[in-house]
Amino acid sequence: MSLLENIVARAKADKQRIVLPEAEEERTLKAADKVLADDLAQLILIGNPENIRKEAAEWGLQHIDKATIVDPLHFDKTEEYAAQLAELRKKKGMTIEQARELVTTNNLYLGCMIIKAGDADGQISGALSTTGDTLRPALQIIKCAPGVTCVSGAMLVLTHEQQYGENGIVVMGDVAVTPNPTADQLAQIAYTTAQTAKSVAGFQNPVVAMLSFSTKGSAKDAIDKETGKSVYIIDKVVEATKIAKEKFPDLKVDGELQADAALDPSTAAKKAPQSDVAGKANVLVVPNLEVGNIGYKLVQRLGGAEAIGPILQGIARPVNDLSRGCSVDDIYYMMAITACQAQDAKSNGE
């Protein structure tokens, strides 16, 4: 069974309630129909019911009536959600009128309020919306998971090199959200990427390598003579590793490691013989977004790897972002991934 088949099977085994706030968008509605046909999740479609049913008929979709369709303009919980939102945001000056406007005109806010109220388990958008638009209501309403203040994005990288990672699979973070994380944020990214490795990729024992261009002091950061601060990134990675070990004592993590030392046992034996992570890593944490984005795309294009994601992590309940160029299959599998994340969040009591 492939990783994606395994993710779908786990989603089906414990069906979660997923909100689609862009339900009138063609690819989203077609993916929803496929999910409903496969009985993968319970769906809440936000949009004009007449438009949704008209589009479903036009495109030959036969399962949309299995979903709950929420009309934001005629919804019996609008006032309840508006009151909750106003209370959540009152310190920011939000009035009940402003809250009511948001839940009736902005489907992303309404979807997050449905989750906040306990009436759904996760949300997916992005076929029409920007990442910022997707994250804003999630952070304002659902907020971060306990102990986490940094949202990030992980990528599942499926390679043909079975000897590396978890039978050729590695999970990389952050590849999507935080451009230049601090040492503390990097430590959090290590933890949440390991959680994604467990909840989505099914890793029983995530092994986290904090990557840099140095292995255990083999190189040094240049120092700015005026400020006395490191010009590069090694010191940040070393500090992040220390924080991660202190803050998340159950996390198997080490750094700083070069990528070859993290993945290859023979290289690890030469460069980091005392490390219990080197040569065994299946989770790779990169020092900044620039490295992450370049890295996974190089492996994808030059190495023929399959990259799945980004998967947003660090939010108390899963809210995932799609590329605006996404396919129907992309949305289908992201619903399965979101369901697995929701299962994990519940089991952890978040």
Side-chain angles (χ1 to χ4, degrees):
M1 184 182 290
S2 71
L3 175 59
L4 285 175
E5 289 171 338
N6 183 271
I7 289 169
V8 168
R10 283 189 284 127
K12 288 181 179 181
D14 182 12
K15 286 183 280 294
Q16 302 295 300
R17 301 163 297 172
I18 308 299
V19 182
L20 299 177
E22 300 170 333
E24 294 181 49
E25 194 273 332
E26 181 176 355
R27 294 161 297 170
T28 302
L29 197 58
K30 288 179 176 178
D33 190 69
K34 187 177 179 182
V35 164
L36 294 166
D38 292 348
D39 200 23
L40 188 152
Q42 300 174 38
L43 298 186
I44 299 170
L45 310 181
I46 302 180
N48 182 294
E50 184 178 339
N51 290 347
I52 290 172
R53 293 191 175 98
K54 180 180 176 181
E55 290 167 351
E58 179 183 339
W59 298 325
L61 309 181
Q62 301 177 0
H63 305 279
I64 293 302
D65 282 337
K66 295 179 182 178
T68 299
I69 300 177
V70 170
D71 182 350
L73 296 177
H74 303 92
F75 186 38
D76 58 5
K77 290 194 173 184
T78 294
E79 200 59 31
E80 175 187 337
Y81 291 158
Q84 290 178 2
L85 178 57
E87 179 65 23
L88 280 170
R89 302 292 292 166
K90 67 180 182 181
K91 290 183 179 178
K92 298 296 183 179
M94 183 174 287
T95 65
I96 184 64
E97 291 78 16
Q98 291 170 328
R100 191 180 294 119
E101 174 78 8
L102 279 174
V103 298
T104 55
T105 64
N106 188 315
N107 292 356
L108 302 177
Y109 272 86
L110 175 57
C112 285
M113 284 308 306
I114 294 173
I115 295 169
K116 184 69 174 179
D119 298 327
D121 304 305
Q123 176 167 290
I124 301 166
S125 61
L128 297 174
S129 309
T130 66
T131 299
D133 288 340
T134 294
L135 279 174
R136 193 172 302 109
L139 294 176
Q140 291 179 2
I141 295 168
I142 302 171
K143 305 187 185 300
C144 288
V148 175
T149 59
C150 174
V151 175
S152 57
M155 190 70 69
L156 309 184
V157 182
L158 287 58
T159 79
H160 304 292
E161 304 298 326
Q162 299 293 305
Q163 71 272 31
Y164 299 134
E166 194 86 358
N167 298 316
I169 301 169
V170 295
V171 185
M172 288 181 66
D174 174 18
V175 300
V177 181
T178 306
N180 190 23
T182 64
D184 184 68
Q185 288 174 325
L186 207 55
Q188 293 180 44
I189 291 167
Y191 171 75
T192 54
T193 306
Q195 289 297 112
T196 297
K198 287 196 290 187
S199 65
V200 178
F203 291 6
Q204 294 298 311
N205 298 296
V207 181
V208 184
M210 308 293 282
L211 299 186
S212 187
F213 60 85
S214 168
T215 296
K216 297 297 182 177
S218 64
K220 297 293 183 183
D221 277 342
I223 303 298
D224 186 301
K225 292 181 179 179
E226 292 185 6
T227 65
K229 294 182 179 179
S230 297
V231 176
Y232 300 121
I233 53 178
I234 298 170
D235 289 351
K236 180 177 75 172
V237 175
V238 172
E239 179 65 16
T241 304
K242 179 182 177 183
I243 294 169
K245 288 180 176 182
E246 291 174 352
K247 195 170 183 179
F248 310 107
D250 294 333
L251 183 66
K252 191 170 185 178
V253 57
D254 199 14
E256 87 283 15
L257 296 170
Q258 291 164 285
D260 57 352
L263 293 168
D264 179 56
S266 61
T267 305
K270 297 181 183 74
K271 292 187 174 184
Q274 304 303 317
S275 174
D276 62 352
V277 166
K280 305 180 185 74
N282 51 27
V283 176
L284 305 178
V285 176
V286 297
N288 57 48
L289 188 56
E290 188 173 36
V291 175
N293 189 274
I294 293 169
Y296 91 77
K297 288 181 178 176
L298 281 175
V299 175
Q300 185 181 35
R301 298 301 178 185
L302 299 180
E306 182 179 1
I308 301 169
I311 302 162
L312 296 185
Q313 51 192 23
I315 307 170
R317 284 290 184 272
V319 174
N320 274 310
D321 180 38
L322 299 162
S323 163
R324 276 173 280 181
C326 61
S327 67
V328 171
D329 280 348
D330 291 337
I331 302 172
Y332 175 89
Y333 287 119
M334 189 55 76
M335 281 192 260
I337 286 168
T338 303
C340 290
Q341 287 180 293
Q343 292 168 2
D344 187 63
K346 289 180 179 179
S347 68
N348 290 331
E350 293 174 5

